[in-house]
């Protein structure tokens, strides 16, 4: 005779075992290691689960195992579509592998980032994807000492041995500058700020590489003070106030938000974009696409970065022979009206490839 445990609350694994006429270990194997159980026995257990309406206690399973089938993702900001695209790509990749994604945004605050990492550890995530603008070495090393692997996204670490997935920001700056040079620009205003940020420094390096290949073209650095729209507004008003023979004949914003704010200020001052000054962005931020002049920019492949980072993290979790790798995704220019005008943009319109060029090291 099978003893049926007393029911004073929701059905438990004991009730499932009793209803199916199997041991607790068998029920556990059906839930966690189904390959170990005969099909007929597993069917009886699943029937019992359905009849009783049993739901596994995930918190108890997390406490017992020390980790859960979840992945943490901390991004710099969800206001930039690069990071929201990253979330979407990581979430889809995680779901395909049976993992859930827990998301947090630091809003470019290092202390908040550390708090998010600590919370995700307390939630016993299996590992963490970190999309930061800095290496955050102390925080990352603490997380890894606690047994959680970390994969960098949109940042290539230099002092931490860890996997990373980035877009080629140097190539992004190069492509945007080459495009302006091809449009006839010979005095390119580079609107940027926070040179200590890796993507900013790399994009400027790409701009300099493009200019070096074209004698007679010069760079005019314009410090916006910040990479958000108010910085672009300030930079745009300064450009508009320059004498016509001294101002840049082309402008490249290190972010799309800066570039779009520059466009607004130039137009407000009666300077035509692109007829008088073509303007390009550099990070394909959809938040900046709502202006009066559609903005030329460079793809960042956020979704692909997120998906690739999940795969690297899961490989590190499951492969004892795992070797840290750096994945670099290519960039493509997306020309729009801010550099080509309406007719030119219509003729040049292309769809960015969904499978970007990818290199690994």
């Amino acid at each position: 005779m099978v003893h049926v445990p007393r029911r004073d609350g929701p059905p438990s694994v004991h009730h499932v075992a009793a209803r199916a006429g199997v041991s607790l270990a068998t029920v556990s194997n059906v839930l966690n290691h189904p390959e170990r159980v005969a099909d007929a026995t597993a069917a009886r257990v699943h029937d019992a689960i359905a009849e009783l309406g049993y739901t596994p206690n995930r918190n108890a399973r997390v406490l017992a195992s020390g980790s859960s089938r979840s992945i943490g993702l901390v991004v710099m900001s969800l206001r930039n579509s690069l990071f929201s695209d990253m979330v979407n790509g990581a979430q889809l990749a995680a779901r395909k592998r049976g993992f859930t994604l827990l998301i947090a945004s630091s809003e470019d605050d290092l202390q908040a980032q550390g708090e998010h990492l600590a919370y995700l550890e307390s939630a016993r995530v299996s590992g963490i994807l970190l999309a930061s603008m800095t290496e955050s070495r102390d925080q990352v090393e603490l997380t890894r000492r606690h047994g959680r692997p970390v994969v960098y996204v949109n940042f290539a670490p230099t002092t931490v041995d860890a996997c990373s997935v980035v877009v080629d920001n140097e190539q992004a700056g190069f492509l945007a500058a080459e495009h302006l040079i091809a449009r006839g620009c010979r005095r390119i205003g580079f609107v940027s700020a926070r040179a200590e940020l890796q993507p900013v420094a790399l994009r400027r390096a790409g701009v300099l590489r493009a200019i070096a290949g074209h004698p007679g073209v010069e760079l005019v650095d314009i410090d916006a003070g910040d990479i958000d729209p108010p910085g672009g507004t300030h930079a745009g008003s300064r450009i508009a106030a320059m004498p016509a023979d001294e101002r840049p004949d082309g402008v490249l914003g290190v972010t799309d938000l800066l570039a779009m704010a520059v466009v607004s200020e130039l137009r407000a001052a009666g300077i035509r974009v692109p007829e008088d000054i073509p303007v390009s962005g550099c990070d394909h931020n959809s938040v900046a696409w709502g202006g009066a002049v559609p903005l030329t920019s460079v793809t960042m492949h956020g979704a692909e970065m997120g998906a690739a980072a999940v795969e690297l993290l899961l490989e590190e979790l499951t492969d004892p022979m795992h070797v840290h790798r750096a994945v670099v995704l290519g960039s493509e220019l997306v020309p729009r009206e801010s550099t080509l005008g309406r007719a030119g943009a219509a003729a040049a319109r292309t769809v960015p490839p969904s499978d970007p060029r990818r290199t690994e090291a």
Side-chain angles (χ1 to χ4, degrees), residues 3-12 14-15 18:
H3 172 68
V4 179
R6 180 178 174 181
R7 281 281 301 274
D8 292 325
S12 70
H14 297 275
H15 298 103

Side-chain angles (χ1 to χ4, degrees), residues 33-90:
H33 306 286
E35 72 280 359
R36 300 178 183 175
V37 185
D39 291 344
T41 303
R44 292 210 314 275
V45 172
H46 284 299
D47 288 344
I49 289 172
E51 292 169 10
L52 293 170
Y54 168 71
T55 301
N57 185 337
R58 297 190 182 278
N59 289 333
R61 291 169 66 183
V62 167
L63 290 171
S65 66
S67 64
S68 64
R69 290 189 68 82
S70 60
I71 295 169
L73 170 57
V74 181
V75 300
M76 175 189 171
S77 173
L78 288 171
R79 291 175 293 170
N80 188 315
S81 65
L82 166 64
F83 298 107
S84 55
D85 289 346
M86 194 182 294
V87 168
N88 290 335

Side-chain angles (χ1 to χ4, degrees), residues 108-130:
D108 198 19
D109 183 322
L110 192 60
Q111 180 177 341
Q113 176 179 287
E115 292 168 355
H116 290 320
L117 290 172
Y119 171 78
L120 291 170
E121 277 195 64
S122 71
R124 290 179 167 80
V125 296
S126 295
I128 294 174
L129 311 180
L130 179 60

Side-chain angles (χ1 to χ4, degrees), residues 9-214:
S12 70
V13 67
H14 297 275
H15 298 103
V16 172
R19 176 65 64 89
V22 299
S23 67
L24 292 175
T26 298
V27 175
S28 177
N29 280 334
V30 169
L31 294 173
N32 300 296
H33 306 286
E35 72 280 359
R36 300 178 183 175
V37 185
D39 291 344
T41 303
R44 292 210 314 275
V45 172
H46 284 299
D47 288 344
I49 289 172
E51 292 169 10
L52 293 170
Y54 168 71
T55 301
N57 185 337
R58 297 190 182 278
N59 289 333
R61 291 169 66 183
V62 167
L63 290 171
S65 66
S67 64
S68 64
R69 290 189 68 82
S70 60
I71 295 169
L73 170 57
V74 181
V75 300
M76 175 189 171
S77 173
L78 288 171
R79 291 175 293 170
N80 188 315
S81 65
L82 166 64
F83 298 107
S84 55
D85 289 346
M86 194 182 294
V87 168
N88 290 335
Q91 186 164 262
L92 288 172
R95 286 182 63 189
K96 288 179 181 178
R97 299 291 294 273
F99 282 75
T100 56
L101 190 70
L102 305 182
I103 306 158
S105 174
S106 69
E107 295 304 320
D108 198 19
D109 183 322
L110 192 60
Q111 180 177 341
Q113 176 179 287
E115 292 168 355
H116 290 320
L117 290 172
Y119 171 78
L120 291 170
E121 277 195 64
S122 71
R124 290 179 167 80
V125 296
S126 295
I128 294 174
L129 311 180
L130 179 60
S132 175
M133 296 292 270
T134 64
E135 194 146 19
S136 312
R137 177 175 177 172
D138 291 344
Q139 294 179 355
V140 169
E141 290 189 341
L142 178 62
T143 301
R144 295 171 71 186
R145 283 199 300 271
H146 292 167
R148 265 69 185 179
V150 175
V151 172
Y152 286 89
V153 196
N154 197 45
F155 186 92
T158 57
T159 64
V160 177
D161 185 21
C163 284
S164 63
V165 184
V166 298
V167 74
D168 191 339
N169 277 294
E170 196 270 352
Q171 180 73 359
F174 175 83
L175 291 174
E178 280 282 317
H179 175 68
L180 289 175
I181 293 169
R183 300 304 300 162
C185 300
R186 292 297 177 266
R187 183 174 167 82
I188 297 176
F190 184 60
V191 178
S192 67
R194 302 187 63 184
E196 77 280 3
L197 298 180
Q198 189 179 82
V200 171
L202 289 172
R203 290 171 195 170
R204 185 175 188 277
V207 173
L208 290 173
R209 177 162 68 91
I211 288 175
H214 297 275

